[in-house]
Amino acid sequence: MPASPLLHYLDQGQGRPLVILHGLFGALDNWQTLARRWTQEAGLRVVSVDLRNHGRSFHSPDHSYDTMAADVGALFDHLGLGPDTTLLGHSMGGKVAMRFALSYPERLARLIVLDIAPNFSDMTHQDEVLTGLQAVDLAAITSRQEADAVLAQHIRSVGVRQFLLKNLYRDEANAFAWRINLPVLVKAMPAVGAEITGEPFLKPALFIRGGKSDYITANDKLYVIPALFPNSEVATVPDAGHWLHAEKPDEVYELVRAFVGQ
């Protein structure tokens, strides 16, 4: 099987490497405010990544955690990242990070996962988002406002719509297009919800959950996470939901800075 193209990434700063993987429908751009702080204030080398079928990375019909973890491994090779690297992932990116840690433990110093557990999810909570995205007729809309009006028929949250609309851009023909590979992601929802399993990752791991989010439950904290990540801790950011890095950036900045600096 031919090797996949290299993931699109942004490499900035010098120091201990921190690699950041965004969540479903996201992109490395979502992380740039925190990435700059970790480079400028914490003295880290930060590599922000667009996962396959997202951002400016390549599109592919395969969207499994095994292949996404292999993509990250190829990027590690390309950048010469050594075993002093910390891998951070949010939501879907957190599952990619867990898959990478369990498959290639010798390549990491530590792992950080934001607001996701290793469990299976049926992904029905994304139904309205997928319906809204598919309802946008890219050939018919003439503005972002029109796209938002279509999304609003299915997605009540203004913040979620603004997040999704960051994927909308004009292509070389000046026509609207999605940066995400929407048809593949629709089909890949079962794979995105897949459980992460494997031999335990024995190095330090930090799970950061939003206090108002139900993505990491009490059972996950007590049993599921320690079974795979026995040297882990779970920190809670109060008054934060699933997008805790956007809602409470100062708290997330400090938790990551302190953990990487250990």
Side-chain angles (χ1 to χ4, degrees):
M1 199 167 96
S4 297
L6 199 65
L7 295 172
H8 175 255
Y9 66 93
L10 179 62
D11 186 359
Q12 50 192 335
Q14 294 178 323
R16 284 186 178 180
L18 171 67
V19 176
I20 300 175
L21 309 178
H22 61 78
L24 182 64
F25 308 126
L28 67 81
D29 292 348
N30 307 149
W31 282 89
Q32 281 325 289
T33 301
L34 276 169
R36 279 192 292 270
R37 285 191 67 186
W38 284 318
T39 58
Q40 295 169 3
E41 299 174 31
L44 301 178
R45 175 189 179 185
V46 179
V47 180
S48 313
V49 180
D50 281 338
L51 293 166
R52 63 169 56 203
N53 296 317
H54 289 76
R56 290 171 172 79
S57 280
F58 61 91
H59 287 188
S60 166
D62 186 353
H63 197 78
S64 70
Y65 286 119
D66 284 340
T67 53
M68 288 191 279
D71 292 342
V72 174
L75 186 62
F76 272 51
D77 292 340
H78 175 75
L79 295 173
L81 293 170
D84 59 337
T85 302
T86 300
L87 183 59
L88 178 156
H90 170 244
S91 200
M92 179 191 74
K95 281 194 162 181
V96 177
M98 285 187 265
R99 176 72 275 148
F100 186 88
L102 295 173
S103 298
Y104 314 105
E106 72 284 351
R107 306 202 68 167
L108 293 180
R110 59 190 70 77
L111 172 72
I112 303 173
V113 176
L114 268 68
D115 213 56
I116 197 76
N119 313 7
F120 165 80
S121 167
D122 64 13
M123 299 303 289
T124 52
H125 59 284
Q126 297 291 350
D127 286 353
E128 291 176 351
V129 168
L130 293 171
T131 302
L133 288 168
Q134 291 174 289
V136 177
D137 184 347
L138 294 172
I141 60 169
T142 59
S143 68
R144 303 180 76 82
Q145 289 75 17
E146 289 181 15
D148 183 54
V150 175
L151 288 178
Q153 297 172 29
H154 305 275
I155 302 164
R156 294 174 61 183
S157 168
V158 176
V160 171
R161 298 201 306 271
Q162 290 175 338
F163 167 74
L164 294 170
L165 286 169
K166 289 179 181 177
N167 289 293
L168 192 65
Y169 78 110
R170 287 190 181 274
D171 62 16
E172 293 168 357
N174 203 36
F176 278 112
W178 293 118
R179 291 207 183 277
I180 51 173
N181 187 350
L182 184 58
V184 163
L185 293 178
V186 169
K187 291 180 182 176
M189 279 301 114
V192 174
E195 181 182 10
I196 303 299
T197 61
E199 291 299 311
F201 177 75
L202 304 179
K203 294 174 182 177
L206 172 65
F207 286 71
I208 308 175
R209 61 181 291 274
K212 296 193 293 186
S213 171
D214 60 1
Y215 277 68
I216 294 179
T217 67
N219 186 68
D220 296 332
K221 182 177 177 179
L222 287 172
Y223 304 108
V224 178
I225 291 170
L228 280 178
F229 304 96
N231 191 14
S232 64
E233 56 183 301
V234 179
T236 300
V237 177
D239 298 321
H242 184 56
W243 282 283
L244 60 172
H245 53 294
E247 297 170 37
K248 297 287 183 178
D250 291 343
E251 289 85 342
V252 171
Y253 166 81
E254 184 53 37
L255 284 166
V256 172
R257 184 206 61 77
F259 185 67
V260 176
Q262 286 177 1

